[in-house]
Amino acid sequence: MSALYAPTARPARTARTARPARSVRAVWTTWAARATRAGLGGPARRSRRGHRAVECVLLGSGVALVPWLVVLATTLPPTAQVGHWNVAWVGLDALEAVGLVATGLLRRRGDDRHRLTAAATSALLVVDAWFDTVTAAPGTELAAALAMAVGAELPLAALCAALALKRAPGAPRTGPEAAGLTSGTWPTTG
């Protein structure tokens, strides 16, 4: 009976049976994958929790703005005397110019960050078109604002939005395309 519990000698490791040295990154990646599969809160799980918090803040802020819009609509006067009106408009147009030039230069260099400047510039152009038209006096001023919006600002905004949303060559598909969904089709289960 004592032979069953007697310690056995381990065979010595030879050069062929020795484990190869592993990098810290390889060890970490293996641990993280096992921990995530086991539900132990690996990096992917912790990262997702952070995303949920950001999403909750964004969604909550958007919903909280709805009552504020009602307050503004009912309490703001229809006209206002504004100081530094010229600085506001020059600043907005300067930001648009910087955004358009930066987007063009980044795209010409093949830098994928042009999508970021294109998205911001698109938003600025839409805001400019909106405020130009709603602050214009009736008559020729309003006609000029509408002509600028339709003829320049909104088409440039659409171009910038298309650049911002266009998938980079070789980039993995995301969203409905990645799931095999196209308009009017749903995945079926076997």
Side-chain angles (χ1 to χ4, degrees), residues 104-163:
L105 290 174
L106 288 169
R107 184 166 162 83
R108 177 174 280 176
R109 287 182 13 197
D111 193 331
D112 208 38
R113 291 176 295 177
H114 78 274
R115 296 180 200 316
L116 300 172
T117 58
T121 305
S122 177
L124 287 171
L125 287 162
V126 170
V127 167
D128 191 10
W130 171 261
F131 282 106
D132 277 344
T133 55
V134 299
T135 60
T140 57
E141 191 177 325
L142 179 59
L146 286 171
M148 282 295 293
V150 171
E153 294 161 345
L154 294 178
L156 280 172
L159 173 65
C160 287
L163 288 174

Side-chain angles (χ1 to χ4, degrees), residues 36-127:
T36 302
R37 279 194 303 267
L40 299 176
R45 188 175 177 97
R46 273 186 259 130
S47 173
R48 185 67 198 142
R49 249 182 273 150
H51 285 292
R52 284 193 188 125
V54 169
E55 292 159 2
C56 287
V57 168
L58 293 172
L59 291 169
S61 299
V63 170
L65 279 174
V66 173
W68 178 245
L69 293 172
V70 173
V71 170
L72 289 176
T74 57
T75 61
L76 282 177
T79 60
Q81 195 76 21
V82 180
H84 307 294
W85 187 249
N86 56 346
V87 175
W89 284 110
V90 169
L92 178 60
D93 288 346
L95 286 172
E96 290 171 3
V98 167
L100 289 167
V101 169
T103 300
L105 290 174
L106 288 169
R107 184 166 162 83
R108 177 174 280 176
R109 287 182 13 197
D111 193 331
D112 208 38
R113 291 176 295 177
H114 78 274
R115 296 180 200 316
L116 300 172
T117 58
T121 305
S122 177
L124 287 171
L125 287 162
V126 170
V127 167

